[in-house]
Amino acid sequence: MNSHKYQESVDWLFAQAPNYQRDGSSAYKPGLENIKKLCDLFGNPQNKIKTIHIGGTNGKGSTSNMLASVLQESGYKIGLYNSPHLVDFTERIKVNGKNCDKEFVYDFIQKLKELPSEIQPSFFEFTTIMAFEYFYKQKVDHAIIEVGLGGRLDSTNIIKPLVSAITNVQLDHQDLLGETIEEIAFEKAGIIKESIPIISGDEKISVREIIINKAKEMNAEFIDATMIESSLESDLKGKYQKKNIRVVLALVEELRKQGLIINEENIKSGLSNVSNNTNFIGRWFEFSQNPLTICDTGHNKAGLEEVFNQLNEYSQHKHIVLGFVNDKKIDEVLEILPKNENYYFVKPNVNRGRNPETYEDLLKKSEINYKIFQNVQDGYLSAKQNCKDDEIIFIGGSNFVVGDFLEKNLRN
C-alpha cells in the first residue's frame, strides 16, 4: 500500500469528520441513528460477528486487551476495537494483535466518500462501521468492542454481544455524561441489553445499585467481578491492573458457560503476554531502563491517583512530564501531584490540547517546581537532560501526551 495515499485518506477522514478525542465536544454526536444507517448500508456486519462489549471510565482498554490475549492463547481469532490510537490510526482495529490492513482502510474510506448526503457521521461512527466490516471480512471468531464514550448513546451500542462489562465508573467527560458519578453510571449502564449478562468491576455501592437495577430492568444476569479473588498477574505492570484482571476472569467464566474452551494455562499465559499478543502499549509502559522512563495514559483524577500512588513507591527523584486537554479540571489534578519533584508541563498537539500558560496561576499557587513547554518533545528532552542516572522520568496526563511522545521516540 502506498503510504502517501493511505495517509492522505486518513487525513481526509480527520478533516471530514471532526474527532471528539482531538477536537472536543463540538465533534461528539451522541445517538444511534447515524450508525444504524451506516450499518444498514454495509449490510449490518455487526450482526454477522460474535461480540463482547467493554465499557467503563478507566481500564476498558487494558481489560479488552487482556481478554483478547487470553482468547488468542485459547486458539481463537480475535478482533479488537480500541480508541484512541497512540501512534497510527490502524491501532484502533486489530485482529490477533495485528493492526488493520492499510489497504483496507484506504479502500473503505473511498466508500465513505460516496455516502448519501443525508448521512453525516462522526469520526467515531466512521471508524466503528469500519471495524465491524473488517472483523466480518476477516472472519474473526469473536470481536471485543470497547465503548468510545459513555455507553447508552455510543455508536458501539448497536451490537448484541454475548456478554458486556463495565470496568468502573469515575468522574470524566462531565460536560457530556453528567456531573455526578450516578449520572455517569446511568450512561455507562446503557450498554446493558435484554437477557445479556453484565459484569461489573466497580466497588462503589451507588454505582453497583444503578447497574443492578438496570440489569433487573433488562432481565440480564448481574455478575460482580469485585468478589473474585486471584493471584494471577499480567505483563501490564500498573497495580491498578489487578482490578481489571478480576473483570477479565469474570468475562472468561461467562464465555466458558457459553461454550468457549479456555483452560487455566490459556488464562495464565494470556495475562502474561498481553503486550506481545495484542501489541498494546501506553499503560505503565517502561519505555527505557536508563534512565527508567515510564508512560501511562491515565488522564482523569481517579486514573492519575492510581498512577501517582504507584510512582510514590519509587524512592528516586522524579521528572514528571504532564499535559492535559481542555475539559480536565486542572485544580483537582494539582491536588494529587507529589511535591518535591520536577515538573514539565506541556501542550498536547491536538485542538483540545491545553496550553499550560492558561493554568500557570494554579501552578504558582501549588508551589511545585515546574517549567512550561509548547510541545511534548521539548518537555521530555528537558526532563531527560536534567535527569540523573538513578532518577525517573514519567510522561502522562493525556492519551495525546503519550501518543506524541511515542510517535517521536519509538521510531528513533
Side-chain angles (χ1 to χ4, degrees), residues 320-326 328 330-331 334 337 343-366 368 370-379 396 398 401 404:
I320 299 175
V321 182
L322 290 177
F324 308 101
V325 291
N326 283 328
K328 289 297 169 276
I330 307 292
D331 53 341
L334 294 181
L337 295 184
Y343 287 90
Y344 307 76
F345 289 94
V346 299
K347 181 184 183 297
N349 185 29
V350 289
N351 290 341
R352 288 171 67 212
R354 187 156 177 192
N355 189 328
E357 290 173 359
T358 65
Y359 55 84
E360 190 169 11
D361 55 331
L362 294 173
L363 296 178
K364 286 175 178 170
K365 285 179 196 166
S366 67
I368 57 176
Y370 71 91
K371 294 178 184 173
I372 283 175
F373 300 86
Q374 290 306 305
N375 62 71
V376 175
Q377 189 67 359
D378 286 351
S398 163
V401 171
D404 281 355

Side-chain angles (χ1 to χ4, degrees), residues 378-410:
D378 286 351
Y380 164 63
L381 291 175
S382 178
K384 192 175 178 185
Q385 187 176 8
N386 294 329
C387 185
K388 295 172 184 161
D389 286 348
D390 61 342
E391 296 179 341
I392 294 173
I393 297 173
F394 175 82
I395 298 131
S398 163
N399 285 294
F400 303 108
V401 171
V402 175
D404 281 355
F405 166 73
L406 292 176
E407 186 173 13
K408 292 283 192 307
N409 299 286
L410 263 186

Side-chain angles (χ1 to χ4, degrees), residues 1-2 6 90 100-109:
M1 177 74 221
N2 180 306
Y6 160 75
T90 55
C100 180
D101 182 65
K102 289 186 176 181
E103 197 158 338
F104 172 85
V105 173
Y106 174 81
D107 290 342
F108 198 83
I109 289 174

Side-chain angles (χ1 to χ4, degrees), residues 8 38 51 79 90 129 135-136 141 157 172 179 184 187 192 202-203 227 241 243 275 295 303 305 325 329 347 356:
E8 268 189 352
L38 272 174
T51 57
T90 55
I129 182 60
F135 296 149
Y136 170 59
D141 294 315
N157 208 24
D172 200 14
E179 283 296 327
I184 295 171
E187 293 298 325
I192 300 172
D202 200 296
E203 294 170 342
M227 305 303 288
Q241 298 296 2
K243 296 174 184 176
S275 300
C295 52
E305 275 180 328
V325 291
K329 295 186 174 176
K347 181 184 183 297

Side-chain angles (χ1 to χ4, degrees), residues 215-252:
K216 284 178 182 169
E217 182 190 322
M218 303 304 289
N219 193 32
E221 182 187 1
F222 172 83
I223 301 161
D224 187 356
T226 68
M227 305 303 288
I228 293 173
E229 290 184 16
S230 172
S231 59
L232 288 172
E233 294 188 358
S234 170
D235 61 323
L236 303 183
K237 291 299 179 194
K239 283 200 159 188
Y240 50 80
Q241 298 296 2
K242 288 204 172 295
K243 296 174 184 176
N244 295 328
I245 287 171
R246 296 189 302 198
V247 176
V248 173
L249 295 176
L251 283 161
V252 166

